[in-house]
């Protein structure tokens, strides 16, 4: 057995720099559509919403309750079960659902399903995703109807909403930006749908891109969602790319505080599996967007005595 | 590496608990002070994570310290049930929810999970497999959530 000092030195050498953060990612290039789709399902964060973890539901079989100001949505079954899932969907059905927010039966989806973001995915990524979903075990679980307040309970109301707020133009790469920034933007806007939580919504529930990624006090499930623009005081302007990637891998901020809630799920079911290059691209893109000064903060608990203020 | 006050307090507390100097919370302690104390312990946990993160990001080359930080975290986690005594719900600003004392067994079990996961991080760190360390850090973060999700007032992260 080597002396202790040598062992520590060896560990030190192996822990150096980026190696620590990159080893958990699958860096082997995938070959089949389903394998590529296995990566898309992580990058697009499908599992967290389409799985009823609290109720012990099977992965991707839906049924998770999503409490919003408009009522409670129950996510649908997206396993390939032909009766209760999406097993009968054609490629065109699947592409239409993601790019237009329309079901095979012609119903307009609620924007709780982030098709506004997914519409910007490439068709190739959509079809790889479908190949992955169809390679999973079919689970028979009938969809739970949404429980929404009037007038949102009227699905027809989704149609004028779309006219007002939805555009399915693709996400064209910015020719002036570096490839890494364009890749990061695609991961953030099309796949990761970060803005669905991190950008505030207007009174009709549409994301308001004037305040792109600057956080909101009324996020999903009543959570406070932080400002992730590079504003130094209220956003992540002081974070390095490494800080951001470390958070995606472990769920810890640079100050050692742990993330919980929706972002913990986004990490555990998705982000932590992405490649080092992709996580760095997301971080580089976030650092490149316009900083917005906006402080998202919960009202402090009433002071019972003393002025000790722990944050 | 900066040794913060909170880390020093946390380390001292861990030593005192291990040597039996601290054997429970005195009912005479001022609840405001108990709250301040436990926030120092929590800050100690966060500071150890920050230190590990700095190594992980390659900002400092103290890779041999990771296991020690993780052991310290396990020691601090062991203190958690003691530093939330009944009667310390109020007295100073605190993010601790009253549910802690209504669902004590769940709270104590979640604290034990953090202790166990931190101890496992120490083992994994000693083994030197960098991928495994990153994955185990994720498990530690999840263990934090075992208490923070149900028992802490939500805040912007």
């Amino acid at each position: 057995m080597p002396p202790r000092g040598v062992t520590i030195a060896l560990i030190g050498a192996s822990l150096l720099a980026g190696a620590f953060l990159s080893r958990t990612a699958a860096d082997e290039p995938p070959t089949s559509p389903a394998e590529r789709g296995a990566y898309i399902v992580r990058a697009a964060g499908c599992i967290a919403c389409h799985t009823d973890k609290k109720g012990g539901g099977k992965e991707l079989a839906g049924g998770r309750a999503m409490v919003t100001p408009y009522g409670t949505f129950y996510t649908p079954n997206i396993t390939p079960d032909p009766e209760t899932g999406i097993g009968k969907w054609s490629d065109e059905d699947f592409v239409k659902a993601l790019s237009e927010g329309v079901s095979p039966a012609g119903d307009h989806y609620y924007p709780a399903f982030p098709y506004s973001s997914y519409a910007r995915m490439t068709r190739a990524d959509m079809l790889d995703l479908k190949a992955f979903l169809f390679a999973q075990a079919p689970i028979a679980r009938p969809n739970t109807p949404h429980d929404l307040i009037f007038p949102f309970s009227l699905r027809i109301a989704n149609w004028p909403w779309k006219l007002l707020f939805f555009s399915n133009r693709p996400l064209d790469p910015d020719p002036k930006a570096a490839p890494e920034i364009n890749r990061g933007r695609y991961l953030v806007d099309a796949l990761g749908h970060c803005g669905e939580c991190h950008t505030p919504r207007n009174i009709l529930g549409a994301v308001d891109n004037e305040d792109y990624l600057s956080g909101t006090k009324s996020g999903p499930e009543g959570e406070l969602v932080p400002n992730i623009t590079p504003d130094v005081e209220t956003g992540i302007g002081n974070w390095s790319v490494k800080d951001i990637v470390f958070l995606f891998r472990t769920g810890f901020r640079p100050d050692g505080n742990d993330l919980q809630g929706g972002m913990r799920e986004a990490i555990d079911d998705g982000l932590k599996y992405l490649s080092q290059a992709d996580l760095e691209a997301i971080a580089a893109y976030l650092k490149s967007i316009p900083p917005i000064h906006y402080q998202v903060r919960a009202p402090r608990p009433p002071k019972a005595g003393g002025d000790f203020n722990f944050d | 590496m900066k040794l913060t006050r909170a880390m020093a307090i946390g380390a001292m507390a861990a030593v005192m608990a291990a040597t039996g100097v601290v054997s429970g919370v005195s009912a005479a302690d001022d609840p405001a002070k108990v709250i301040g104390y436990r926030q120092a312990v929590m800050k100690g946990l966060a500071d150890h994570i920050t230190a590990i993160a700095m190594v992980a990001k390659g900002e400092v080359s103290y890779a041999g310290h990771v296991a020690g930080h993780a052991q310290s975290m396990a020691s601090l986690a062991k203190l958690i049930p003691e530093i939330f005594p009944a009667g310390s719900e109020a007295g100073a600003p605190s993010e601790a929810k009253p549910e802690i004392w209504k669902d004590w067994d769940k709270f104590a079990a979640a604290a034990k999970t953090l202790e166990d996961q931190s101890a496992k991080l120490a083992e994994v760190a000693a083994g030197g497999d960098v991928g495994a360390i990153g994955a185990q850090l994720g498990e530690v973060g999840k263990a934090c959530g075992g208490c923070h999700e149900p028992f802490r007032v939500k805040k912007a992260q």
Side-chain angles (χ1 to χ4, degrees):
Chain A
M1 195 177 151
R4 188 175 155 79
V6 172
T7 310
I8 289 174
L10 286 173
I11 294 168
S14 64
L15 269 170
L16 272 179
F20 183 92
L21 296 173
S22 60
R23 281 274 300 277
T24 52
D27 287 326
E28 297 286 311
T31 49
S32 73
E35 279 172 9
R36 288 194 301 268
Y39 190 80
I40 304 291
V41 82
R42 295 296 188 190
C46 308
I47 296 167
C49 287
H50 283 284
T51 305
D52 178 21
K53 271 193 194 152
K54 270 187 195 154
K58 296 257 171 53
E59 199 157 273
L60 298 170
R64 179 190 171 157
M66 305 188 78
V67 180
T68 75
Y70 316 101
T72 302
F73 292 95
Y74 293 92
T75 58
N77 182 348
I78 56 167
T79 70
D81 184 64
E83 300 311 319
T84 64
I86 61 170
K88 287 181 180 162
W89 291 26
S90 67
D91 283 359
E92 290 316 310
D93 288 339
F94 191 79
V95 168
K96 198 172 172 188
L98 264 60
S99 58
E100 296 176 32
V102 175
S103 78
D107 288 328
H108 293 275
Y109 290 125
Y110 288 94
F113 170 53
Y115 65 85
S116 309
S117 298
Y118 294 156
R120 317 187 90 183
M121 284 167 70
T122 64
R123 184 183 166 89
D125 278 354
M126 290 182 188
L127 292 178
D128 286 345
L129 177 56
K130 177 171 181 279
F132 169 80
L133 293 174
F134 275 63
Q136 305 311 298
I139 309 287
R141 194 202 67 84
N143 287 328
T144 312
H146 301 319
D147 183 12
L148 305 178
I149 57 171
F150 185 83
F152 305 102
S153 50
L154 303 176
R155 197 175 270 270
I156 190 72
N158 287 326
W159 179 72
W161 188 93
K162 266 188 181 169
L163 286 181
L164 284 169
F165 301 119
F166 175 61
S167 148
N168 66 349
R169 68 194 155 79
L171 197 64
D172 293 324
D174 175 357
K176 289 187 298 247
E180 182 187 43
I181 299 291
N182 278 319
R183 174 66 180 167
R185 177 159 157 258
Y186 180 72
L187 286 160
V188 166
D189 285 348
L191 295 179
H193 60 282
C194 309
E196 301 278 347
C197 290
H198 283 281
T199 302
R201 288 172 188 270
N202 66 20
I203 195 166
L204 290 173
V207 295
D208 183 356
N209 279 325
E210 292 262 307
D211 294 320
Y212 180 61
L213 299 181
S214 64
T216 172
K217 287 183 167 66
S218 44
E221 325 238 304
E223 284 181 18
L224 295 162
V225 185
N227 181 347
I228 54 169
T229 72
D231 183 62
V232 169
E233 202 184 320
T234 63
I236 58 170
N238 280 332
W239 293 40
S240 67
V241 165
K242 283 176 176 175
D243 288 336
I244 300 170
V245 172
F246 184 77
L247 177 139
F248 291 153
R249 287 268 184 251
T250 66
F252 283 111
R253 304 193 317 183
D255 65 4
N257 275 307
D258 54 302
L259 297 187
Q260 302 302 338
M263 194 61 196
R264 162 65 56 183
E265 291 179 283
I267 289 168
D268 277 348
D269 293 321
L271 284 164
K272 76 178 182 190
Y273 296 98
L274 301 195
S275 71
Q276 184 71 8
D278 274 353
L279 292 184
E280 286 175 2
I282 293 173
Y285 171 70
L286 290 177
K287 288 178 72 68
S288 78
I289 64 175
I292 295 175
H293 190 86
Y294 175 66
Q295 184 76 60
V296 185
R297 194 45 69 86
R300 295 207 164 276
K303 291 192 177 185
D307 58 1
F308 187 80
N309 203 350
F310 182 74
D311 195 23
Chain B
M1 180 176 40
K2 196 175 66 176
L3 183 71
T4 68
R5 185 168 160 269
M7 285 169 79
I9 293 173
M12 275 178 64
V15 170
M16 288 165 80
T19 52
V21 175
V22 180
S23 60
V25 173
S26 162
D29 285 346
D30 176 353
K33 296 295 178 195
V34 173
I35 289 170
Y37 176 86
R38 76 176 170 229
Q39 287 170 347
V41 174
M42 290 295 156
K43 179 89 169 43
L45 283 163
D47 284 343
H48 283 297
I49 289 286
T50 301
I52 295 171
M54 291 176 73
V55 176
K57 287 181 286 187
E59 293 170 349
V60 292
S61 51
Y62 297 116
H65 292 186
V66 172
H69 286 297
Q71 279 157 7
S72 300
M73 289 177 64
S75 301
L76 292 178
K78 205 184 192 74
L79 309 180
I80 290 174
E82 275 187 22
I83 61 179
F84 286 85
S88 66
E89 295 93 320
S94 169
E95 289 169 343
K97 285 185 176 176
E99 281 78 5
I100 290 170
W101 295 276
K102 290 180 195 144
D103 201 353
W104 182 259
D105 289 349
K106 181 180 169 187
F107 178 77
K112 182 72 170 73
T113 302
L114 178 64
E115 186 189 335
D116 294 346
Q117 293 295 350
S118 301
K120 196 168 165 206
L121 178 62
E123 281 172 34
V124 171
D129 179 339
V130 289
I133 294 169
Q136 182 56 27
L137 264 177
E139 292 304 312
V140 170
K142 227 183 278 183
C144 297
C147 283
H148 288 165
E149 285 272 15
F151 297 124
R152 183 177 66 171
V153 177
K154 284 197 170 143
K155 58 177 175 182
Q157 292 172 329

